Amino acid sequence: MRLPLSDHEYGAHGVVLPPDDQTRHDDAPVPLETRLAIYRKLQEMRQFEKRAYDLFMRQLVKGTSHLSLGMEAISAGFGAAMRSDDLTFATYRGHAHTLARGVPMTPVLAELLGRANGLMGGKGGSMHLTSVEHGMLGSYAIIGAHMTIANGAAWSAQYRGSGQVTTCFFGDGTTNIGAFHEALNYAAVYKLPIVFVCENNLYMEYTSIADITAVAHPAADRASAYGLDPVVVDGNDADEVYLAATAAFERARSGEGPSLVEALTYRHGGHSRADPGKYRPADEVEAWKAYDPITLYRGRLVRLGVAADDLDVIDKEVAVAVDQATEEAIAGELPEPASAFTDLWADGGSSWRN
């Protein structure tokens, strides 16, 4: 009897390499202004995550954290294509998606530190970032659970005729969970204005998705079961992501229903800060780190005539902003004990107390 992992030792699976050509989208129809905004956002996400890692190592971050280092092009590309009133649902790896919606860095960083000036008063932490004001309707720690909730937000927009589109991000491991299939079927039946985005970083926590999934593309290869087109994009190329997002949003706003996008990417580190990621082949890690979304995008901008010095200015401006956010976050007070009894359902759920 052949078992899924019987052909090789754990962690010795086949190497998956990134694309070779980094220039194929140099001529893509993306305005230079949009590209510069995407580059700035990529830098914000990268430098923010590096700072979050540093603070975690200093034991200032409360609880664990799941970083998007190496995966920033997905959130940056989709964020650039969204309308300001569109809605986002993310997983516990939601720092970059939160920044993509325009949430300032200080309250996000303060939330990681458990401070009263945090995005949720220090009570949610890294895995539950939420800002209704910015259309960020939550980061969810239960795998796949947010997909059906995202359908509810999309149905609300459809009912109200608001033209809003909901985007629901999830990891490759979610594709083997029942909520994935339930959500896709429901959205397709009712033609909801929603875009499902699989951030396929090749590993569902500590195990290669290829080892325990019957199809090569865990999301896209299942799209036809729900009447959807299979869409696979390079999740490390922000322009390719942006173009796919724009097309999916146009489809949703025109009443044609949902889309399912599988974005191939790779996290630079382990699943969380407690994970050294030793189960990944060294040559695979090296190849994907060389195919870095920021290196790729910066090179494209330079080839298009943007001066490297101008990009350096953006880098430095972001660094100053991250430093300022760090100072403001650390200076925040710890929450008062009484705050534990605010922003919650009271009286058996019959009233809201804030």
Side-chain angles (χ1 to χ4, degrees):
M1 177 180 178
R2 180 187 176 278
L3 298 176
L5 298 177
S6 61
D7 293 339
H8 58 74
E9 296 295 328
Y10 178 72
H13 54 82
V15 172
V16 179
L17 297 177
D20 293 326
D21 184 8
Q22 299 190 16
T23 67
R24 63 192 184 282
H25 291 302
D26 284 3
D27 297 328
V30 181
L32 181 58
E33 181 180 2
T34 300
R35 279 176 156 153
L36 289 173
I38 288 175
Y39 179 78
R40 180 179 292 273
K41 193 60 67 174
L42 287 170
Q43 278 292 344
E44 289 178 1
M45 295 168 179
R46 174 64 57 85
Q47 294 193 37
F48 178 95
E49 293 287 63
K50 285 185 174 180
R51 182 57 51 83
Y53 174 80
D54 292 342
L55 294 173
F56 181 89
M57 297 306 291
R58 290 170 56 188
Q59 299 184 345
L60 290 174
V61 173
K62 307 303 179 183
T64 189
S65 62
H66 303 77
L67 305 181
S68 298
L69 293 169
M71 300 172 56
E72 301 92 344
I74 300 173
S75 44
F78 267 90
M82 290 180 186
R83 269 180 16 187
S84 60
D85 63 340
D86 283 338
L87 307 171
T88 296
F89 288 77
T91 68
Y92 46 76
R93 200 181 303 277
H95 303 170
H97 293 298
T98 304
L99 296 177
R101 298 314 312 271
V103 180
M105 286 187 281
T106 294
V108 179
L109 202 52
E111 187 62 33
L112 271 60
L113 303 184
R115 304 304 172 101
N117 57 334
L119 194 58
M120 285 98 64
K123 296 193 290 185
S126 170
M127 295 195 291
H128 303 97
L129 298 173
T130 303
S131 177
V132 175
E133 174 188 358
H134 295 88
M136 179 64 188
L137 297 191
S139 302
Y140 294 77
I142 300 176
I143 307 299
H146 63 308
M147 297 185 71
T148 54
I149 302 172
N151 271 346
W155 200 0
S156 170
Q158 183 185 70
Y159 179 80
R160 291 180 287 110
S162 66
Q164 294 166 291
V165 175
T166 297
T167 304
C168 181
F169 298 93
F170 55 94
D172 44 281
T174 303
T175 61
N176 288 332
I177 286 177
F180 167 81
H181 302 278
E182 294 171 8
L184 282 171
N185 185 67
Y186 192 94
V189 168
Y190 289 97
K191 291 189 174 182
L192 298 182
I194 186 169
V195 181
F196 296 104
V197 184
C198 175
E199 299 179 279
N200 184 359
N201 59 29
L202 310 184
Y203 292 87
M204 30 171 280
E205 201 161 358
Y206 313 118
T207 303
S208 167
I209 186 68
D211 281 343
I212 49 81
T213 304
V215 291
H217 295 289
D221 285 349
R222 288 155 163 166
S224 61
Y226 306 102
L228 303 177
D229 293 331
V231 179
V232 181
V233 300
D234 179 354
N236 276 25
D237 190 320
D239 281 339
E240 186 168 333
V241 173
Y242 173 80
L243 294 173
T246 299
F249 291 156
E250 289 177 355
R251 169 185 169 86
R253 291 193 219 281
S254 66
E256 297 181 41
S259 296
L260 174 60
V261 177
E262 181 172 337
L264 301 178
T265 186
Y266 204 85
R267 48 179 162 82
H268 284 181
H271 169 69
S272 68
R273 288 299 84 224
D275 171 25
K278 297 297 184 181
Y279 44 83
R280 302 184 302 177
D283 48 350
E284 180 182 271
V285 174
E286 181 180 356
W288 278 96
K289 283 190 174 182
Y291 190 68
D292 181 274
I294 295 181
T295 302
L296 185 157
Y297 211 68
R298 183 184 176 96
R300 176 170 300 150
L301 290 173
V302 170
R303 289 192 297 275
L304 292 173
V306 179
D309 288 346
D310 292 339
L311 297 177
D312 290 341
V313 170
I314 293 176
D315 299 351
K316 292 175 182 177
E317 289 175 347
V318 171
V320 170
V322 171
D323 286 343
Q324 180 178 345
T326 302
E327 293 175 3
E328 293 172 348
I330 292 176
E333 301 289 337
L334 294 175
E336 293 291 337
S339 68
F341 301 98
T342 61
D343 299 320
L344 49 81
W345 289 105
D347 304 325
S350 62
S351 63
W352 175 258
R353 179 187 300 164
N354 57 28

